[in-house]
Amino acid sequence: MDFEHESDDPFRDDEDDPDAHLSLEKESTKEYVVYLVDASPKMFTSTCPASADDQKEESHFHIALSCISQSLKNQIINRSYDELAICFFNTREKRNIQELSGVFVFNVPERDYLDRPTARLIKEFDRIEESFAKDIGSQHGIVPGTRENSLYNAIWVAQALLRKGSAKTVDKRVLLFTNEDDPFGCIKGAIKSDMKRMTLQRAKDAQDLGISIELLPLSHPSDPFNVSQFYAELIGLEEDELADFMPSSGIKLEDMKDQLRKRMFKKRIVKKLKFIIVDGISIELNSYALIRPTVPGAITWLDSVTNQPLKSERTFICADTGALVEESTKRFHPYKNQNIVFSTKELSEIKRFSTGHLHLLGFKPLSCLRDYYNLKPSTFLYPSDEAMDGSICIFIALHRSMIQLKRFAVAFYGGSSRPQLVALIAQDEIIQSGGQIEPPGMHMISLPYSDDIRLVEERHSEKVGMVTRASNDQIKKAADVIKRIDLKDFSICQFANPGLQRHYAVLQALALEEDEIPEIKDETLPDEEGLARPGVVKALEEFKTSVYGENYDEECEANAKPSEASKKRKAQAEVATKECENYDWGELADTGKLKDLTVVELKYYLTAHNLPVSGKKEALVSRILTHMKK
Amino acid sequence: MARNKEALVLLLDVGPSMHSVIPEIEKVCSMLVEKKLIFTKYDEVGVVLFGTEDTDNELTEEVGGYQHVVVLKNIKVVEGDIVEALQQLPRGATHGDFLDAIIVGMDMLIKKFGETNKGKKRLCLITNAQCPIKEPFEGTKEEQVTTIAKQMIVHGMRMESIILRGKLSQDANKKIMDENDQLLRIFSTETSARSTYVENPVSLLGALRTRNITPSTIFKGDLELSPKLRIKVLVYKKTAEEKFPTLKKFSDKAASTDKFATHEVKVDYEYKSSQEPDKVVPPDQRIKGYRYGPQIVPISQAEWDAVKFKPEKGLKLLGFTDSSNVLRHQYMKDVNVFVAETGNTKATLALSSLARAMKEMNKVAILRCVWRHGQANVVIGVLTPNLSDKENIPDSLYFNVLPFAEDVREFQFPSFSNFPAPIQPNEQQLEAAANLVKMLDLAPQGKEEVLLPDFTPNPVLERFYRYLELKSKHADAAVPPLDDTLKKITEPDDELLQQNKSVIEKFRRSFELKENPRHKKSRRLLREERYGSSEENSKGEIPALASNLIEDKSNVEVDNIGDLTPVQDFEAMFARRDNPDWVVKAIDAMKNKIHDLIEDSHEGDNNSKALECLAALRKGCINEQEPKQFNNFLRDLWSFCQEKNLHGFCDSLSSKGITLIPKSEAADSEVTEDEARSFLVKSQPKV
């Protein structure tokens, strides 16, 4: 295994489907981003209403920084191979390769301007506001009387930073944060149009080099950002896109972070699929992994003495002769007292069914899709007219009919790792406060086969004659509880993964050699205050009484009564503790006589001290010694 | 000895009305035994046939009666001969009496095991229950069946019946079938017998669980609604993927005469220092490192244990919410089921009332779960009600894992309404689509749902186990093609298509679908970018591939590389001297062509053509003193093939000896002779 090449992109589809790659466009594998942050005085004086419950207003500058900080923290977890630079413009100090004024590239030691994020960058960037005025300073870059053009300079610096890496393999982007919709507003006449033209030309040059420039405008309800003033032309917005661009005038911090988060991740097509609807009608779909579990990155083994990474080497040894062999192309499975040998080719032949194609089998009402028909995260499908004109049209027609008729499609998907039946659910677009919450398209859900479904409930069937149905009164009481403990606006994005957050907090602390590990708030714990509200308590009490009667607590105790097994275990422990006292363990250990005892005797010590009793005799002895700290 | 060894008696109806489905029964039963041979080889199996001409069972010898019931295999530990016997079931000639068969099966189990093996004795009946059972000597049929069912409980036997209906049963007497259904239902209510009705061959294959997995709990303890109200529950897996078996690597190094050879290949991992490649670092000198950006942070297990997230074991309710707040596609993993603690009536009622109230109100519950002590993470998931429709099966709840905020990528996609009008479907097209969605119905009213996951076998596993059995007899047998039954899973059902011919035809006619000519172009443009033609400033677009190119070639000068004669086209373009740009264009077009060939190649069928083109390109580049163009392209192509696992092409490269253009062949080249030679060496697969 070679860890260097192990991508820790958790959104990569786990299915390694070599055949499907054939049809896959080669896509950029890396992303280089330059954050361009306007640092003009206006960014400090304008504010946004912060979250609703907190009346404190936050400056646009602060909002921009916290958005970036957030995305850096996400990036170092998810996409640490991507590179970025942070660059302020309209600054007093200057720092950039071209020595252009009014532009300051923020950086930390041991890092190029455009480089992968490091722990130190994140940490120092978090503190930048404290020292900003002193070290960098805010200053209008475009003022009458000079021909200085800080915006022009900024784009030029960004473009120079992004010169690195070829456009074939890298997505290059500039994310521009500003609240000034008319940067040349204070300038008049020919100079103004001149500067405007130059700046637009500069932006166009950058775009011609494959750099996309994206705008994240900040505004205040009373002073909306007018994108058509200047920036529409700079970022190349078409007339009809203008209306969609500024969803609402008062962008709150959270929305802004959301916006950035959404833009941070470029869509990546996992696969291109051919969807065979009926004979002669096949449309083209792209598949995307919208939901995949994020896991802490791969482990790299290090030499504990030098802390240098280790290389692992794999060798194949013939178990019979001990000879080194090359990786064999044959596999075998024991069956009926013989070894049945397969070639890898035969094995892949067994798994081959119309590879990479999605074959429509029919439709069923949504009620047929039971909650237990699930095995792994779903995959999102969106049509493409790239290879087949008409794909989108057919897809939309089916999509709309499926939603209207409340039906899902059943199809067979011939992926090479697990060819399977899938359900395709049409999802309508959901838009909330100007943002797309759910994109329109279909979700592909892998269905289990009969061998994958276990008949637990039936195995668990009660003896005949037992009451298993709740009475109406009990159901009503349960309904009261449900009404009381209601999570109104529950959404799946509500919780950060506390284990993962802790993991990265620990890593960050260790990486920066900090003494304290920051506490991570576990958002997944129940709302104890809410549960203690009188109404809730009352509803719960009534439900309890209706099901358990008056003696719930007694029953709890009764249930808490130790089972036979635990009683036995307890008795054994007592015996062991007693027996254990008959030996002078310290001396036995010192004189090395532990090994002369029997395993049963050794286990007395282990049981008495609540240690595991498994393993060979040597293991037991060494466990005792470890426990005695000898 | 395996603790869970099971004794199973198969009761198979082979009467005349069954003949058409016997092939499927042979398949499913032999598969069952094959899997036992692999996974639970101490299980015992017996086979009883009924509806046979002959009679052969102990009961008939002892007490008489029990005609037309044949014990094909007595109960014994599974062996290959059972598989063989099941693969060639005799076709019977008389109507069978399933009750006789059940009694014979019970008798076999009782004689063999007596009171022992409680709960591990199983009867499995496969019949179409079309023939009436005999009138008992005394009492009614119902009474007789009830008595037998009671006996089953006494002896700790379970019964599973698979009853064939619909397409699988022929025109039969409805009255008899209803009576038999009634009788079989007594078994399900009196015992925990499972009866399954199947209507097509696919579900017959899926209806019989061929592998018996004893469920084990994931969690046993309290479901905590609040600190003051806890419900005792057991959590089991409801779905878990049955994986393709892991096969061992085979070594043929051992002498063929060696009977005790294991033929196994041991894989040995050694960790070596990166500075001193010869030094092996012992396991206790290794430490785990985690990436944080470019840094690798070493953390020992002890350090990690001290600081890691340690949630407390338990299941806590966070609250209830509208079921519309959780979307179906957000389910992350396989599914668990929450049932009440065994024998705990109060807990059963508590779960039942919650489930029923949730169902009524359309609510789901959100839960925070830590299944095990010491688990390093929590799980957030959703509980949905599962109301049982059988009296003796209590209500339960299904649990699905939901994603955390980190797990969701919010990609934006264009709204469908934003597409221009010509792309939007019109009224007539919408109607055609709606009809298709309505008519291509897999869950028709009053009929069995087709491809119900619970009854659909995994075609890959079916194929594997059948092939395994086949190979055990003929070592070099080829992989058999999918049979017609399994094809019903992977391909649309012909019958359904036939029934809806007009709907499908209408759909087909309503939409115009054509290969996009822009497609080739856009791919080309993309590829042009990829191969850095921007440096060469060959912005001069390669025109889209004209399909009429070949006919026109006689009078039009070649300006692109076609599909039929790429090498000639390339040379023709090279020869054009009306504009020096043609050389660059030809090179670029050829690169694209080669790329297309490789990318579209199916199992390397284009490889030889691609190689020809590559050879031509190489020659051309030498002649035109453009070695760099070729060398860069070859390198790109090389890495592309590596990336896409197209090793076949790389191998053929080496076999044809096509390598980089060295200095000796073209003066402008920066590649040395050695480099060119070693380029191919690199292509040998890594060991």
Side-chain angles (χ1 to χ4, degrees):
Chain A
M1 261 199 290
D2 195 350
F3 291 106
E4 262 315 305
H5 296 290
E6 222 166 293
S7 153
D8 33 345
D9 179 0
F11 286 89
R12 196 180 50 163
D13 203 13
D14 42 7
E15 225 178 299
D16 267 326
D17 193 339
D19 299 313
H21 286 304
L22 286 175
S23 57
L24 183 66
E25 294 282 349
K26 187 179 159 154
E27 14 137 12
S28 306
T29 49
K30 267 201 205 174
E31 197 171 271
Y32 290 171
V33 177
V34 174
Y35 293 95
L36 270 188
V37 184
D38 189 354
S40 72
K42 189 179 170 190
M43 287 289 283
F44 292 85
T45 52
S46 302
T47 54
C48 262
S51 44
D53 46 313
D54 181 8
Q55 283 310 306
K56 218 177 75 198
E57 301 226 324
E58 286 168 318
S59 77
H60 284 159
F61 188 70
H62 175 78
I63 290 168
L65 293 195
S66 55
C67 286
I68 295 171
S69 156
Q70 197 71 42
S71 76
L72 288 184
K73 282 171 190 162
N74 281 332
Q75 191 196 332
I76 199 164
I77 296 174
N78 289 324
R79 317 242 326 248
S80 81
Y81 288 95
D82 290 350
E83 303 189 3
L84 72 123
I86 301 166
C87 179
F88 296 102
F89 64 102
N90 288 329
T91 55
R92 186 185 67 228
E93 305 297 323
K94 65 177 177 190
R95 182 163 87 182
N96 54 69
I97 328 162
Q98 295 107 307
E99 294 287 323
L100 296 171
S101 65
V103 181
F104 190 95
V105 181
F106 173 76
N107 203 9
V108 294
E110 292 167 37
R111 195 180 167 276
D112 290 336
Y113 283 164
L114 182 79
D115 206 341
R116 297 168 57 185
T118 63
R120 189 157 177 187
L121 179 81
I122 290 175
K123 203 176 158 201
E124 293 195 11
F125 185 74
D126 270 349
R127 290 207 219 104
I128 192 172
E129 267 178 287
E130 297 162 20
S131 59
F132 190 83
K134 187 169 132 266
D135 295 339
I136 303 172
S138 162
Q139 184 176 300
H140 278 299
I142 303 169
V143 282
T146 68
R147 282 195 154 259
E148 279 302 328
N149 182 344
S150 53
L151 182 59
Y152 175 91
N153 289 353
I155 297 173
W156 193 1
V157 166
Q159 183 191 322
L161 287 169
L162 290 171
R163 196 166 291 154
K164 179 172 160 182
S166 87
K168 324 177 218 174
T169 53
V170 181
D171 265 331
K172 300 179 177 185
R173 309 162 71 199
V174 173
L175 295 175
L176 180 71
F177 292 79
T178 184
N179 61 354
E180 180 57 79
D181 51 11
D182 185 13
F184 306 105
C186 59
I187 311 225
K188 298 257 149 30
I191 301 180
K192 175 174 177 173
S193 58
D194 214 31
M195 284 173 82
K196 213 167 153 177
R197 189 182 45 75
M198 273 174 59
T199 312
L200 290 175
Q201 187 54 46
R202 175 96 337 244
K204 202 180 160 297
D205 288 349
Q207 281 152 346
D208 285 346
L209 288 172
I211 298 169
S212 69
I213 302 180
E214 289 167 52
L215 177 70
L216 288 138
L218 295 121
S219 63
H220 192 265
S222 60
D223 176 21
F225 190 98
N226 182 359
V227 73
S228 43
Q229 185 79 257
F230 168 73
Y231 277 103
E233 207 176 337
L234 184 111
I235 58 177
L237 273 189
E238 299 292 331
E239 201 62 40
D240 53 334
E241 292 168 318
L242 275 178
D244 287 338
F245 188 77
M246 293 296 294
S248 58
S249 50
I251 296 182
K252 290 187 192 133
L253 172 63
E254 288 310 311
D255 291 346
M256 188 79 189
K257 274 184 189 159
D258 265 7
Q259 287 296 316
L260 179 63
R261 214 171 97 88
K262 284 174 190 172
R263 290 189 198 187
M264 263 317 292
F265 299 112
K266 273 219 132 174
K267 281 185 280 193
R268 287 183 181 179
I269 300 172
V270 176
K271 245 172 248 173
K272 294 198 170 210
L273 301 174
K274 196 167 133 197
F275 183 26
I276 307 170
I277 297 170
V278 292
D279 224 10
I281 299 262
S282 308
I283 64 172
E284 196 194 358
L285 302 177
N286 291 335
S287 76
Y288 301 85
L290 296 192
I291 301 180
R292 290 291 180 271
T294 308
V295 288
I299 293 165
T300 308
W301 284 103
L302 304 175
D303 183 332
S304 62
V305 180
T306 60
N307 271 348
Q308 288 300 312
L310 296 175
K311 264 188 7 210
S312 87
E313 260 177 37
R314 192 170 59 159
T315 44
F316 299 100
I317 299 161
C318 171
D320 298 318
T321 59
L324 280 179
V325 290
E326 286 189 6
E327 185 164 9
S328 154
T329 55
K330 284 183 184 160
R331 303 280 183 275
F332 73 96
H333 199 283
Y335 179 63
K336 294 204 284 202
N337 297 323
Q338 44 175 318
N339 288 332
I340 313 292
V341 181
F342 295 87
S343 69
T344 43
K345 215 173 146 196
E346 283 166 338
L347 288 173
S348 61
E349 180 63 33
I350 293 175
K351 297 186 197 172
R352 189 194 302 275
F353 298 90
S354 62
T355 306
H357 293 177
L358 195 59
H359 212 141
L360 178 73
L361 303 179
F363 298 89
K364 291 182 186 180
L366 279 174
S367 57
C368 285
L369 188 65
R370 309 289 307 272
D371 277 319
Y372 61 90
Y373 294 165
N374 209 71
L375 289 171
K376 51 185 180 189
S378 60
T379 298
F380 182 70
L381 302 176
Y382 195 84
S384 153
D385 265 357
E386 205 177 289
M388 270 300 173
D389 244 345
S391 291
I392 295 180
C393 177
I394 294 180
F395 189 88
I396 295 177
L398 284 176
H399 182 261
R400 212 175 286 171
S401 303
M402 282 160 70
I403 289 177
Q404 251 163 26
L405 297 164
K406 296 196 172 57
R407 288 178 151 250
F408 69 95
V410 178
F412 190 81
Y413 174 53
S416 69
S417 70
R418 182 179 156 97
Q420 62 195 339
L421 283 171
V422 293
L424 306 178
I425 307 181
Q427 173 67 50
D428 220 351
E429 184 175 24
I430 302 179
I431 293 179
Q432 245 169 46
S433 57
Q436 194 179 53
I437 305 290
E438 287 293 333
M442 293 196 199
H443 291 281
M444 179 163 86
I445 291 167
S446 357
L447 295 172
Y449 291 115
S450 69
D451 318 88
D452 308 325
I453 299 174
R454 300 187 179 171
L455 305 168
V456 184
E457 301 96 316
E458 287 173 35
R459 276 195 178 246
H460 237 267
S461 55
E462 298 290 322
K463 285 182 195 76
V464 183
M466 230 176 106
V467 186
T468 55
R469 294 279 186 282
S471 68
N472 284 342
D473 176 63
Q474 288 165 339
I475 297 173
K476 203 184 142 279
K477 292 290 184 328
D480 286 341
V481 172
I482 293 173
K483 253 178 247 156
R484 287 288 176 177
I485 319 178
D486 191 35
L487 303 171
K488 235 191 170 145
D489 304 312
F490 175 78
S491 115
I492 52 153
C493 293
Q494 190 166 325
F495 302 113
N497 183 344
L500 203 63
Q501 293 299 330
R502 177 77 187 171
H503 181 97
Y504 286 105
V506 169
L507 272 189
Q508 188 176 328
L510 288 170
L512 298 168
E513 289 160 358
E514 282 170 352
D515 296 333
E516 252 174 68
I517 293 162
E519 271 312 309
I520 295 294
K521 190 175 164 260
D522 185 353
E523 299 160 333
T524 63
L525 282 168
D527 168 22
E528 275 172 37
E529 261 174 58
L531 285 175
R533 274 198 307 266
V536 177
V537 172
K538 187 163 162 271
L540 281 167
E541 268 318 309
E542 280 178 7
F543 174 58
K544 191 155 84 179
T545 316
S546 120
V547 173
Y548 288 86
E550 300 294 337
N551 42 12
Y552 168 81
D553 295 323
E554 284 163 40
E555 197 168 311
C556 264
E557 267 165 44
N559 277 332
K561 231 194 278 170
S563 66
E564 282 303 308
S566 73
K567 260 191 216 157
K568 202 171 149 201
R569 217 174 301 142
K570 214 171 161 194
Q572 265 178 356
E574 268 166 32
V575 171
T577 320
K578 234 166 105 194
E579 289 289 339
C580 178
E581 284 163 11
N582 297 336
Y583 300 85
D584 184 349
W585 295 100
E587 175 165 347
L588 285 169
D590 288 339
T591 52
K593 281 185 182 153
L594 275 180
K595 62 178 190 324
D596 298 336
L597 297 178
T598 65
V599 168
V600 177
E601 288 171 308
L602 291 173
K603 282 188 179 169
Y604 289 147
Y605 182 93
L606 294 168
T607 320
H609 292 89
N610 216 0
L611 296 169
V613 291
S614 59
K616 291 194 176 163
K617 189 170 181 181
E618 297 92 77
L620 302 188
V621 171
S622 80
R623 200 173 296 142
I624 293 175
L625 290 174
T626 325
H627 182 252
M628 294 165 85
K629 304 253 163 61
K630 295 205 173 167
Chain B
M1 256 315 169
R3 196 160 48 106
N4 284 322
K5 76 166 197 171
E6 176 198 61
L8 168 72
V9 178
L10 292 168
L11 311 170
L12 310 177
D13 189 347
V14 294
S17 59
M18 291 289 286
H19 287 185
S20 60
V21 280
I22 286 182
E24 307 304 331
I25 294 178
E26 288 173 341
K27 275 176 203 151
V28 68
C29 292
S30 50
M31 169 88 126
L32 173 101
V33 179
E34 281 164 32
K35 282 199 189 170
K36 282 189 183 291
L37 279 166
I38 295 167
F39 298 107
T40 49
K41 48 185 168 192
Y42 300 112
D43 277 4
E44 299 182 44
V45 171
V47 182
V48 175
L49 307 179
F50 61 106
T52 49
E53 182 75 62
D54 311 333
T55 303
D56 176 14
N57 62 72
E58 282 187 23
L59 277 180
T60 186
E61 286 160 29
E62 288 163 13
V63 297
Y66 301 100
Q67 296 292 311
H68 308 297
V69 178
V70 169
V71 177
L72 185 68
K73 289 281 168 190
N74 244 315
I75 300 176
K76 64 170 182 178
V77 173
V78 283
E79 269 178 61
D81 66 314
I82 303 184
V83 178
E84 273 153 47
L86 285 168
Q87 279 176 340
Q88 306 154 25
L89 291 175
R91 271 52 172 171
T94 56
H95 294 312
D97 179 331
F98 64 84
L99 199 60
D100 276 357
I102 292 175
I103 297 170
V104 169
M106 285 173 74
D107 178 60
M108 286 162 70
L109 283 170
I110 293 169
K111 280 188 180 137
K112 175 107 190 186
F113 299 102
E115 292 291 308
T116 60
N117 258 16
K118 266 218 165 94
K120 285 161 199 161
K121 287 175 284 192
R122 191 154 72 105
L123 292 162
C124 177
L125 172 72
I126 303 180
T127 178
N128 52 15
Q130 279 177 1
C131 314
I133 61 168
K134 287 184 277 296
E135 286 295 335
F137 295 117
E138 52 193 72
T140 61
K141 286 183 184 176
E142 280 80 10
E143 280 165 9
Q144 195 192 7
V145 170
T146 312
T147 321
I148 293 169
K150 292 225 160 82
Q151 280 299 309
M152 267 186 201
I153 298 179
V154 170
H155 285 96
M157 292 178 200
R158 295 165 92 87
M159 191 170 85
E160 190 179 336
S161 22
I162 296 173
I163 302 139
L164 312 179
R165 283 293 136 86
K167 266 185 263 171
L168 296 179
S169 63
Q170 288 138 5
D171 42 347
N173 186 333
K174 181 138 192 323
K175 214 179 117 219
I176 299 172
M177 288 209 290
D178 285 347
E179 185 197 48
N180 284 338
D181 284 350
Q182 189 63 38
L183 294 172
L184 285 164
R185 201 165 304 133
I186 297 178
F187 280 110
S188 341
T189 45
E190 288 291 320
T191 73
S192 50
R194 186 171 117 91
S195 40
T196 313
Y197 287 82
V198 295
E199 294 184 6
N200 67 56
V202 175
S203 33
L204 172 58
L205 288 184
L208 182 62
R209 289 307 149 102
T210 48
R211 189 170 167 195
N212 211 12
I213 294 170
T214 321
S216 54
T217 49
I218 294 171
F219 177 90
K220 198 173 167 180
D222 295 336
L223 166 60
E224 193 181 314
L225 296 194
S226 87
K228 290 209 182 87
L229 178 53
R230 299 152 186 269
I231 303 172
K232 296 266 177 221
V233 295
L234 301 174
V235 182
Y236 292 95
K237 273 209 179 305
K238 177 65 191 167
T239 58
E241 187 182 323
E242 184 175 340
K243 297 241 163 63
F244 194 85
T246 323
L247 278 72
K248 289 182 186 144
K249 292 188 173 66
F250 182 80
S251 160
D252 48 12
K253 287 275 182 290
S256 52
T257 50
D258 184 356
K259 285 217 170 56
F260 300 102
T262 61
H263 293 291
E264 283 179 32
V265 175
K266 239 176 73 202
V267 185
D268 198 32
Y269 289 96
E270 277 183 340
Y271 289 86
K272 295 188 172 167
S273 141
S274 45
Q275 281 104 12
E276 299 159 72
D278 296 329
K279 204 181 110 194
V280 176
V281 179
D284 55 353
Q285 206 191 310
R286 294 200 309 247
I287 186 167
K288 279 181 187 168
Y290 293 86
R291 272 185 196 287
Y292 191 74
Q295 269 169 287
I296 300 175
V297 184
I299 308 177
S300 71
Q301 196 56 44
E303 255 180 302
W304 196 239
D305 287 339
V307 294
K308 74 171 178 205
F309 181 62
K310 296 181 213 89
E312 208 178 305
K313 175 180 169 177
L315 314 179
K316 288 182 182 354
L317 173 82
L318 298 184
F320 298 90
T321 191
D322 288 337
S323 57
S324 59
N325 283 344
V326 178
L327 298 170
R328 184 61 176 76
H329 66 260
Q330 291 165 342
Y331 295 178
M332 293 283 279
K333 283 179 72 178
D334 36 20
V335 187
N336 296 335
V337 59
F338 281 46
V339 294
E341 191 184 54
T342 331
N344 186 334
T345 320
K346 300 289 166 63
T348 311
L349 288 176
L351 278 196
S352 168
S353 40
L354 278 179
R356 283 176 186 260
M358 277 157 73
K359 183 86 184 175
E360 247 168 54
M361 301 165 74
N362 229 343
K363 295 273 182 182
V364 296
I366 305 297
L367 229 56
R368 171 196 197 263
C369 305
V370 181
W371 309 113
R372 295 182 316 273
H373 181 72
Q375 183 177 317
N377 217 338
V378 300
V379 174
I380 294 289
V382 57
L383 278 183
T384 45
N386 170 38
L387 305 189
S388 147
D389 47 7
K390 277 196 192 143
E391 198 58 50
N392 53 357
I393 297 177
D395 298 328
S396 52
L397 298 161
Y398 290 129
F399 177 84
N400 269 291
V401 177
L402 292 178
F404 284 110
E406 290 94 335
D407 306 337
V408 181
R409 265 197 186 181
E410 289 160 321
F411 291 154
Q412 307 271 296
F413 290 86
S415 300
F416 287 158
S417 52
N418 282 359
F419 285 116
I423 285 186
Q424 300 285 349
N426 58 31
E427 278 303 313
Q428 182 240 334
Q429 287 172 323
L430 279 175
E431 199 196 310
N435 277 332
L436 187 80
V437 173
K438 240 183 282 175
M439 299 309 293
L440 228 52
D441 192 3
L442 296 180
Q445 283 251 294
K447 279 201 196 144
E448 184 193 37
E449 181 181 333
V450 183
L451 295 175
L452 185 72
D454 308 66
F455 292 153
T456 308
N458 183 340
V460 178
L461 294 181
E462 293 279 333
R463 209 178 186 182
F464 173 74
Y465 289 111
R466 287 179 198 176
Y467 189 39
L468 183 70
E469 167 69 21
L470 187 65
K471 271 214 160 195
S472 74
K473 289 181 202 136
H474 312 282
D476 21 321
V479 183
L482 270 196
D483 67 22
D484 287 341
T485 311
L486 292 181
K487 264 199 188 132
K488 293 217 167 69
I489 303 169
T490 66
E491 284 167 27
D493 184 15
D494 269 335
E495 211 171 307
L496 186 68
L497 296 181
Q498 284 304 320
Q499 279 164 17
N500 297 297
K501 230 173 162 175
S502 63
V503 174
I504 293 168
E505 197 41 50
K506 181 118 188 287
F507 183 82
R508 202 177 283 142
R509 264 186 284 114
S510 300
F511 292 96
E512 202 187 345
L513 201 57
K514 59 170 189 262
E515 187 122 12
N516 197 338
R518 280 173 303 169
H519 177 50
K520 285 273 171 198
K521 182 170 147 192
S522 69
R523 282 171 70 183
R524 270 166 197 241
L525 285 179
L526 263 176
R527 208 158 305 125
E528 245 179 46
E529 274 174 38
R530 201 186 310 152
Y531 287 126
S533 32
S534 52
E535 301 156 20
E536 273 83 36
N537 191 24
S538 68
K539 281 241 161 78
E541 252 181 51
I542 306 295
L545 205 141
S547 52
N548 55 353
L549 192 87
I550 308 304
E551 296 101 83
D552 294 353
K553 212 158 62 177
S554 48
N555 47 15
V556 171
E557 280 188 291
V558 180
D559 60 2
N560 205 348
I561 292 179
D563 282 327
L564 286 181
T565 53
V567 174
Q568 286 83 332
D569 292 354
F570 173 73
E571 281 162 4
M573 277 173 84
F574 245 79
R576 282 179 75 162
R577 289 295 169 202
D578 47 334
N579 186 334
D581 283 348
W582 283 115
V583 171
V584 179
K585 278 187 188 172
I587 291 178
D588 282 329
M590 196 59 168
K591 285 178 182 174
N592 288 331
K593 182 87 238 157
I594 294 170
H595 209 280
D596 278 350
L597 281 171
I598 297 172
E599 209 177 24
D600 296 336
S601 170
H602 179 66
E603 293 183 339
D605 54 3
N606 280 343
N607 279 359
S608 60
K609 201 166 184 183
L611 280 174
E612 271 174 50
C613 293
L614 198 61
L617 179 66
R618 189 171 189 273
K619 201 172 124 210
C621 285
I622 294 172
N623 289 342
E624 291 299 327
Q625 283 299 321
E626 296 274 8
K628 213 171 150 197
Q629 284 261 21
F630 179 81
N631 288 346
N632 287 344
F633 173 70
L634 190 62
R635 286 195 187 102
D636 277 341
L637 195 65
W638 171 254
S639 56
F640 174 78
C641 290
Q642 292 290 324
E643 227 167 89
K644 306 290 176 199
N645 276 323
L646 302 168
H647 297 296
F649 186 74
C650 297
D651 293 344
S652 36
L653 266 185
S654 2
S655 66
K656 287 266 187 245
I658 297 178
T659 182
L660 301 173
I661 301 176
K663 232 180 169 57
S664 54
E665 286 187 68
D668 285 358
S669 171
E670 290 162 4
V671 175
T672 63
E673 200 75 63
D674 282 345
E675 231 176 300
R677 222 174 301 127
S678 61
F679 182 75
L680 288 180
V681 179
K682 213 169 55 182
S683 69
Q684 299 310 320
K686 270 185 245 165
V687 178

